[in-house]
Amino acid sequence: DVHNGRWGVFNDVLYLDLGNSKSGTRDFTLGNTSLPAGVSANLDFDLKGLIWTVAGEYRLATNNPAHTIDLLAGARYFDLKQTLDYAISGTGSDPLIGKSGTLEVNGDVWDGIIGVKGRYAFGQNRQWYVPYYLDVGTGQSDLTWQAAAGIGYVYSWGELNAMWRYLDYNFESGKAVESMTFNGPMFGATFRW
């Protein structure tokens, strides 16, 4: 986040590399059909993604010096790759037994966004503050939105904050991925010079 007077630029990059493995599981379906008795699978799932948000900002004038509000407009890019490796085993003569392979879904989307971000300071010297962020957009996805809020503290050298972030995507129905949601804590530091 860089500001010069009332104008500024906001940049945020989120990289994802998640995965999980299950051995001998029966906790999945093929289509809408459960696995037959005596059949299980070994599954390896991997998700990699890059989410990049960039926006221009304009700081609104407020009558309260403890409260800042920035309007923002920009774009969000989302690049996603999901991979599932599977191997089906079991006893009996089911035709699924011995099947293995890899399923892969990938793609990227660009969306325009508009939003607001700011902070409200409080305390004797306004050393505590509540940061907040909200944006909404559309483009190649049907709808994307992001919200975050938390608490921060100002030191002589800069600031530390902790926030909870929620990011949601809705894509066209009938696609391999129709919706995706990420949420969790994030921690930040600001250095001033």
Side-chain angles (χ1 to χ4, degrees):
D1 195 47
V2 178
H3 273 269
N4 183 7
R6 288 194 170 191
W7 295 96
V9 176
F10 171 78
N11 191 40
D12 179 63
V13 177
L14 176 64
Y15 176 73
L16 307 164
D17 189 353
L18 310 168
N20 198 5
S21 295
K22 293 265 186 173
S23 296
T25 185
R26 292 186 40 75
D27 189 19
F28 76 100
T29 60
L30 296 171
N32 293 326
T33 306
S34 297
L35 287 178
V39 176
S40 64
N42 296 331
L43 306 171
D44 289 312
F45 177 75
D46 185 50
L47 181 143
K48 288 185 171 65
L50 176 72
I51 303 170
W52 174 41
T53 304
V54 61
E57 300 175 321
Y58 180 76
R59 180 152 295 165
L60 298 177
T62 64
N63 295 330
N64 184 348
H67 192 195
T68 63
I69 303 172
D70 295 335
L71 295 179
L72 58 96
R76 179 174 298 126
Y77 173 72
F78 185 20
D79 181 42
L80 176 70
K81 179 180 180 183
Q82 297 179 85
T83 306
L84 176 65
D85 293 319
Y86 64 92
I88 300 174
S89 60
T91 59
S93 60
D94 193 283
L96 293 174
I97 295 172
K99 299 281 185 187
S100 64
T102 299
L103 301 173
E104 190 173 287
V105 175
N106 56 30
D108 59 348
V109 294
W110 279 97
D111 293 297
I113 60 160
I114 58 171
V116 62
K117 74 179 198 57
R119 62 191 275 166
Y120 181 78
F122 62 95
Q124 185 176 5
N125 297 315
R126 295 188 186 130
Q127 72 275 22
W128 290 97
Y129 65 96
V130 174
Y132 60 89
Y133 178 95
L134 176 67
D135 74 35
V136 64
T138 189
Q140 290 180 311
S141 72
D142 283 349
L143 176 70
T144 179
W145 66 276
Q146 179 174 212
I151 188 85
Y153 191 83
V154 178
Y155 296 91
S156 59
W157 54 265
E159 305 170 5
L160 291 176
N161 65 52
M163 299 175 71
W164 193 269
R165 178 183 198 165
Y166 190 94
L167 175 61
D168 187 75
Y169 266 93
N170 290 308
F171 303 102
E172 292 179 38
S173 63
K175 295 285 186 182
V177 177
E178 292 186 6
S179 66
M180 191 158 285
T181 300
F182 305 98
N183 74 89
M186 65 181 190
F187 303 95
T190 301
F191 299 95
R192 299 191 186 281
W193 61 88

